[in-house]
Amino acid sequence: MNHIQFCNCFTIAVKDFNLQQTLECGQCFRYYKLKDNAYLVLAKDQAIKIVQAQEKLNFYCSEAVYQAFWKNYFDLDRDYRSIKVSLSEKDDYLKTAIADKHGVRILQQEPWEMLISFIISQTKQIPHIKKLIEVLAQQYGTFIGVYDNISYYSFPTPKQLKDASEEDFRKLKIGFRASYIVDAVNKIESGTIDLDAIKKMSDDEAREVLMTIKGVGHKIADCVLLFGYNRYAVFPTDVWVKRIVEFYYKVNGKNMDMIQSFAKSYFGEYAGFAQQYLFYHARDNKIGK
DNA sequence: AGCCAGGCACCGC
DNA sequence: GCGGTGCATGGC
C-alpha cells in the first residue's frame, strides 16, 4: 500500500483563476471532488490535492514540484486579464459568458491523454466519460497510490495499451469507440503518427494528421489541439458551440467551414479561449437547448 | 421509460 | 458533396 501523502502545502496568490471552473468546464476528466472544497487532480504520473480559498491556491506539494509541474499545468504564468478584456470587447454575449466563467484557465495537458479522452467523449456526458477513463486507467495505467482508501492510477501510455484488443476495451463498456482506440494506439505504436512531430506543424496540418485516426473528426482533433497542444486559435465546434454561433452570431451552423472561418476572423488568435467561455457558459446554464 | 449525450463512419443519392 | 442513420451505454 503506497499511501499518497499530502503533507507539504505550497500557497500562491492567483487572479483570474477558479479551481472548480477550471476543472469542471469540460476540458479535463481526471479530477475528484474531495471534502471541504478540495480536489484531487491526476496528471502524468502525479496526484495532487488542491484547495482554493478566495485568491489563494493551496497546492499540497513542495514548491519544487509546483514550479516544475503544476504551475505550468494550470497555465498560471499567462495573463488572462488581458485575454478576457480583449474578448469582452467583441460583444455582449461573450462578455456575459466571460463574466460568468471568469476563472477558467486552459490547462496544459498531454496530447495522448487528450486524444483518447476525446475519442471516448463522443456522444457521452462528462460523468460517464470520467468513469470510462478511470476504468481504463485502473486496468492499464500505473498505480500511483492510495488516498482515503481509493486507489489512483495514471493515464495509460500507448505502450501500456498496445496489447489490448477491441474486445478488451468493449469489456470496459467503451462501446463502439473501442476500435477507435485500437486504431489510435496502432498508429502511435507503429510510428505512423508521431505526436511530438505534430508540435512543429501548423494547426491545419496537425488537424489533418489527427483526423487520419479512426473516430477522430474535426471536433475531436480540435479538442486535442486546444487542450493537448495549446493551439489557442482553434475553435472546437460541438453541438453547443454550433447552436451559439447560429443563434448569437447568425452563422449558418450547417456549414462547418463557415463556422471556422467566422471564428477565425471574429475571435482571432484567442478563438480557443472564447470557445471555452462560450461552451461552458451555455452548457452550465442550458442555453440553446 | 424513453430520450439523448462535447461525433463520427458509412451509406445512399 | 451532402443529408440521413446506426452506434454502446448510462444519466437525467
Side-chain angles (χ1 to χ4, degrees), chain A residues 63-102:
Chain A
E63 180 174 357
V65 170
Y66 166 78
Q67 293 293 348
F69 187 73
W70 295 107
K71 181 167 81 170
N72 201 46
Y73 179 82
F74 282 100
D75 204 27
L76 291 169
D77 276 338
R78 194 177 312 279
D79 175 14
Y80 276 70
R81 174 63 57 184
S82 66
I83 294 171
K84 291 191 292 181
V85 166
S86 121
L87 287 176
S88 292
E89 287 166 357
K90 303 279 183 191
D91 61 83
D92 284 347
Y93 181 65
L94 181 53
K95 189 175 182 176
T96 304
I98 291 172
D100 180 23
K101 303 304 180 189
H102 59 275

Side-chain angles (χ1 to χ4, degrees), chain A residues 11-284:
Chain A
T11 302
I12 58 151
V14 283
K15 283 187 176 164
D16 308 303
F17 182 95
N18 182 289
L19 183 60
Q20 179 183 359
Q21 288 180 354
T22 295
L23 293 174
E24 297 187 1
C25 69
Q27 65 177 322
C28 71
F29 305 101
R30 307 222 64 203
Y31 61 88
Y32 304 86
K33 204 165 180 144
L34 307 173
K35 50 186 182 227
D36 301 327
N37 271 339
Y39 284 88
L40 192 147
V41 179
L42 303 177
K44 282 199 166 175
D45 57 349
Q46 309 208 37
I48 193 172
K49 185 171 98 173
I50 311 173
V51 183
Q52 179 163 24
Q54 286 87 42
E55 297 200 326
K56 286 206 164 56
L57 208 47
N58 299 313
F59 286 87
Y60 286 77
C61 65
S62 66
E63 180 174 357
V65 170
Y66 166 78
Q67 293 293 348
F69 187 73
W70 295 107
K71 181 167 81 170
N72 201 46
Y73 179 82
F74 282 100
D75 204 27
L76 291 169
D77 276 338
R78 194 177 312 279
D79 175 14
Y80 276 70
R81 174 63 57 184
S82 66
I83 294 171
K84 291 191 292 181
V85 166
S86 121
L87 287 176
S88 292
E89 287 166 357
K90 303 279 183 191
D91 61 83
D92 284 347
Y93 181 65
L94 181 53
K95 189 175 182 176
T96 304
I98 291 172
D100 180 23
K101 303 304 180 189
H102 59 275
V104 169
R105 283 185 183 238
I106 295 187
L107 300 171
Q108 300 202 25
Q109 303 186 75
E110 293 294 300
W112 167 250
E113 182 174 339
M114 292 299 93
L115 175 61
I116 300 303
S117 297
F118 280 95
I119 284 175
I120 288 173
S121 79
Q122 58 190 277
T123 54
K124 292 231 158 287
Q125 296 172 113
I126 288 169
H128 196 204
I129 301 167
K130 289 181 86 225
K131 249 170 226 166
L132 289 176
I133 291 171
E134 184 53 40
V135 169
L136 199 64
Q138 274 174 24
Q139 195 69 228
Y140 298 102
T142 303
F143 177 67
I144 295 176
V146 177
Y147 184 74
D148 259 4
N149 293 320
I150 298 171
S151 295
Y152 293 94
Y153 297 82
S154 64
F155 193 88
T157 62
K159 201 184 174 69
Q160 287 175 316
L161 293 181
K162 76 173 164 48
D163 294 326
S165 66
E166 176 179 344
E167 203 46 46
D168 293 332
F169 291 134
R170 279 184 184 265
K171 280 187 199 130
L172 305 182
K173 308 294 183 190
I174 281 173
F176 64 85
R177 304 155 195 80
S179 65
Y180 302 163
I181 297 179
V182 170
D183 189 55
V185 172
N186 287 343
K187 285 200 165 75
I188 303 307
E189 277 298 290
S190 66
T192 308
I193 293 179
D194 177 353
L195 290 176
D196 274 333
I198 287 179
K199 291 176 184 165
K200 301 188 198 78
M201 298 178 189
S202 70
D203 294 347
D204 289 341
E205 288 172 328
R207 180 185 303 110
E208 206 174 303
V209 171
L210 291 170
M211 284 177 67
T212 62
I213 299 166
K214 243 176 77 184
V216 178
H218 200 297
K219 188 269 173 181
I220 290 177
D222 280 359
C223 284
V224 177
L225 288 174
L226 178 58
F227 303 130
Y229 289 99
N230 302 110
R231 303 294 186 99
Y232 300 117
V234 305
F235 190 75
T237 303
D238 70 324
V239 284
W240 290 95
V241 174
K242 204 171 285 182
R243 290 191 288 244
I244 294 164
V245 166
E246 269 185 320
F247 189 79
Y248 290 99
Y249 298 101
K250 310 296 178 200
V251 177
N252 178 7
K254 285 191 183 64
N255 192 328
M256 182 60 134
D257 290 343
M258 283 179 69
I259 297 177
Q260 294 302 310
S261 58
F262 157 76
K264 194 169 188 170
S265 65
Y266 187 74
F267 299 118
E269 59 177 329
Y270 295 146
F273 295 102
Q275 186 273 2
Q276 201 55 18
Y277 294 121
L278 291 172
F279 164 77
Y280 187 25
H281 175 68
R283 198 202 64 193
D284 208 23

